[in-house]
Amino acid sequence: MARRRVAYLRRQHRRGHPGDDMLITDDFLPVPVPESLSATYLVPTVGLPSVTARTAVGKLAGRLAEPVYGLARQMLDSPLMSVDIRPVGEFPELPPDLLTAFGASEAQLDRLAAATHLVVVQAEYRPGWPPAHEWAARAVAAAVAEAVGGDVVDVFGLQFLDPAAALRSLPDAQGRVRLVDWVLVPYSSDAEGLWFTTKGLRRFGLLELQTQGVPDHLTRAWGAVMTGAARRLLRDWTDGLAGEEVPAFVQLPVLATVTGHDIAVAYGNPEQHGATAPVLLRLELDPATDPDADSFLSLRPPAGHPGPAGRYFANACATLFSGIQPDVRYARAGDAMSRAIATARAGLADIRARFRDGQLPPETQLVVKYGLPGDDGPEYVWAGVTDWDTPDRIVGASASDANTDPTVRIGSPVVVEVADIVDWAVLGTSGVIEGGWTQAVLDAGQPPTP
């Protein structure tokens, strides 16, 4: 700790921000800012690539939105970016076990093992927004990979990306990105429960987040909360870096506010506003005991919260997701659940008319529950309605992760056939204000079908 503190104070003094002058209050936490950031991407090839980086990027004209296209071309011609071709043996070996843990397929690992050379794309830039080093380096690497029919390896995230996915992760014409394409939320289990961390905020200069002691049943829900919290804190972080000079530290609020809208935006669905009450999480700096290790920003319950932290996390999830439970299965025909489904379906025409006419109460959201086919029977998940122009089809955004369909994730776009709907609900800031008949049966103790 002493060595880290001395190094930090020296760094501040070098920038003209002595540590004794830091504004430390009960409301804000000073978080140190690195002087520069770098990004590294690899494109494994068999033999020397047959295309140059400039030629590959040129083929993206009209396909890659500005400012990223221009940024990639400019950085290619500047000392801020380098593109080197190295024999595989000259680059440190990437750990196959970690690549697998972060989603690498056997085919991708086989292609990496067969590669003789690596196209190494590296870029450096100052902290702030836009993260030019990441956007430009990923764009150039994706362009090269597309040209040679290869993969992109994100060295920071230890992830394989196919070129199309890498290009989709870059800003669109409106400058929007999905944070989930840049920040992962891995977790592990220990004696106190689940330990969640983010992996990706350091791309932007911010310390990674962590939460410990999360109850086991909140695996998917808390991952979404962490992603929403990352989005909110990253916005505060980049706001603090908006000046011409890079500051020595940025003041982040000790009490971070997370809303359903933060989660929806982080998953790329800003139209799904998430009409929920906000949740407060206390931000604490957990410095590493080893000077070479990473420090974390920990998310904890607000000071004075009674009871264990896990209880607060469970209540936070219930608030942000309005008590809607994903992945429920309904019981056999003729019971209370069957009657609840019949009631919900009988009201579909009316709720569609009210939704289209703008007659739902202000600050509310319409959600529907529908079935996904599975080996053990249908899995029922909720989705927020964004468009219902066609009577027999709804366009929306998933409100939960599905077990049976890996493409259905919180915030992902979905198309729902009305024939598959078993329930609907209107959500307000306090939860369900209308509908939710199947949920009421579950809350009353109706057992789901095994």
Side-chain angles (χ1 to χ4, degrees):
M1 273 295 294
R3 287 175 59 191
R4 293 181 68 85
R5 177 63 175 167
V6 168
Y8 181 40
L9 291 177
R10 284 178 178 169
R11 179 161 160 263
Q12 292 180 64
H13 181 72
R14 185 172 67 250
R15 294 188 180 181
H17 295 278
D20 292 342
D21 294 337
M22 286 194 303
L23 178 61
I24 301 176
T25 71
D26 292 336
D27 298 325
F28 292 94
L29 180 69
V31 178
V33 180
E35 294 180 7
S36 65
L37 300 172
S38 62
T40 302
Y41 290 85
L42 309 177
V43 180
T45 64
V46 177
L48 296 175
S50 58
V51 65
T52 67
R54 286 177 178 81
T55 301
V57 171
K59 294 180 179 179
L60 297 180
R63 296 172 50 202
L64 192 60
E66 294 292 355
V68 179
Y69 177 70
L71 186 65
R73 292 176 62 88
Q74 291 170 19
M75 291 192 74
L76 265 175
D77 294 326
S78 79
L80 295 174
M81 177 180 286
S82 64
V83 180
D84 300 318
I85 301 172
R86 304 183 194 175
V88 167
E90 293 184 5
F91 198 89
E93 182 181 3
L94 298 174
D97 54 341
L98 290 180
L99 289 169
T100 301
F102 287 110
S105 67
E106 288 294 332
Q108 290 169 331
L109 292 174
D110 289 343
R111 288 194 291 271
L112 177 61
T116 60
H117 291 77
L118 295 173
V119 180
V120 183
V121 182
Q122 295 180 303
E124 185 173 348
Y125 202 65
R126 56 161 281 176
W129 198 264
H133 60 297
E134 284 286 353
W135 289 356
R138 184 173 286 197
V140 171
V144 173
E146 185 177 73
V148 302
D151 303 304
V152 177
V153 181
D154 172 12
V155 173
F156 178 90
L158 285 176
Q159 273 192 301
F160 276 89
L161 302 170
D162 69 74
L167 292 173
R168 284 196 303 270
S169 71
L170 295 166
D172 62 14
Q174 287 74 45
R176 298 173 300 188
V177 294
R178 297 190 335 149
L179 191 60
V180 291
D181 292 328
W182 298 89
V183 177
L184 305 175
V185 186
Y187 66 90
S188 59
S189 181
D190 58 27
E192 298 179 357
L194 298 178
W195 174 32
F196 284 80
T197 61
T198 59
K199 185 175 178 59
L201 288 178
R202 283 195 295 113
R203 299 180 190 270
F204 312 103
L206 182 58
L207 297 178
E208 302 291 356
L209 305 180
Q210 70 172 358
T211 309
Q212 294 175 291
V214 178
D216 291 348
H217 70 280
L218 298 180
T219 303
R220 291 187 296 275
W222 195 254
V225 174
M226 289 278 287
T227 305
R231 182 258 175 183
R232 174 57 65 95
L233 289 171
L234 184 58
R235 182 175 180 179
D236 293 337
W237 175 254
T238 54
D239 285 347
L241 298 171
E244 293 185 4
E245 296 294 329
V246 177
F249 59 91
V250 167
Q251 300 277 358
L252 293 181
V254 169
L255 284 180
T257 303
V258 183
T259 67
H261 181 65
D262 290 317
I263 296 172
V265 171
Y267 281 85
N269 286 278
E271 69 277 4
Q272 184 189 359
H273 293 294
T276 63
V279 163
L280 294 178
L281 294 169
R282 178 165 50 96
L283 200 64
E284 288 189 2
L285 176 62
D286 278 334
T289 55
D290 181 348
D292 296 324
D294 293 329
S295 299
F296 284 95
L297 292 172
S298 291
L299 297 176
R300 297 191 169 98
H305 167 71
R311 183 183 304 166
Y312 185 84
F313 299 148
N315 290 337
C317 290
T319 297
L320 288 171
F321 300 109
S322 300
I324 294 296
Q325 300 177 8
D327 306 333
V328 298
R329 305 175 188 276
Y330 61 88
R332 60 192 179 279
D335 61 13
M337 187 62 77
S338 181
R339 292 192 296 272
I341 293 170
T343 302
R345 285 176 170 166
L348 284 173
D350 177 69
I351 195 62
R352 174 178 180 262
R354 291 162 57 197
F355 172 80
R356 286 174 50 79
D357 294 341
Q359 295 180 358
L360 298 182
E363 302 299 324
T364 61
Q365 180 184 23
L366 177 62
V367 296
V368 294
K369 184 195 288 186
Y370 66 103
L372 293 172
D375 293 339
D376 299 324
E379 178 185 7
Y380 290 88
V381 293
W382 291 89
V385 178
T386 57
D387 187 289
W388 200 348
D389 289 343
T390 304
D392 58 355
R393 181 172 296 178
I394 288 174
V395 177
S398 181
S400 60
D401 291 344
N403 290 326
T404 56
D405 188 340
T407 67
V408 177
R409 292 292 177 263
I410 294 177
S412 64
V414 293
V415 176
V416 180
E417 299 295 331
V418 170
D420 295 332
I421 293 175
V422 297
D423 202 357
W424 56 266
V426 177
L427 305 183
T429 55
S430 59
V432 177
I433 62 176
E434 183 181 355
W437 292 274
T438 63
Q439 195 69 40
V441 173
L442 290 171
D443 293 341
Q446 172 75 23
T449 299

